[in-house]
Amino acid sequence: MVRYLPIFIALALMVYCIVDVAQTQGDVVRRAPRWLWLTVIVVVPIVGPICWLVLGRPTRNSGGSGGTTPPRYPDDDPDFLRRL
């Protein structure tokens, strides 16, 4: 069973990165299209997911609105609370 552990870890990492790329907003992520990231993750099993996690994954502050994000819940939105 222990000899199959690296295969399971590589497969789990690949699935996690594929889902992460699929949920990332925008067609271009860190100067490469999403389809290219997906191809690299699937074709190069260990190095591809690691490259996505280190080089491709967008940072939290890389939103297009200058760092301000809209409120996620109605309780956090002052305009919504004013209308109550």
Side-chain angles (χ1 to χ4, degrees):
M1 181 65 184
V2 175
R3 69 181 190 192
Y4 296 117
L5 188 62
I7 296 171
F8 291 137
I9 290 172
L11 187 63
L13 184 63
M14 186 184 318
V15 169
Y16 173 78
C17 288
I18 288 172
V19 170
D20 196 27
V21 169
Q23 291 180 350
T24 302
Q25 295 177 353
D27 290 336
V28 177
V29 182
R30 292 261 183 124
R31 294 183 230 155
R34 285 174 47 185
W35 65 267
L36 182 64
W37 281 114
L38 287 171
T39 304
V40 168
I41 289 170
V42 172
V43 171
V44 187
I46 302 293
V47 178
I50 292 174
C51 285
W52 165 253
L53 293 174
V54 174
L55 303 173
R57 195 170 191 194
T59 59
R60 287 186 181 186
N61 295 335
S62 67
S65 61
T68 60
T69 58
R72 294 186 66 179
Y73 304 104
D75 295 346
D76 296 337
D77 188 5
D79 294 329
F80 177 80
L81 293 174
R82 270 188 232 117
R83 286 182 273 149
L84 289 179

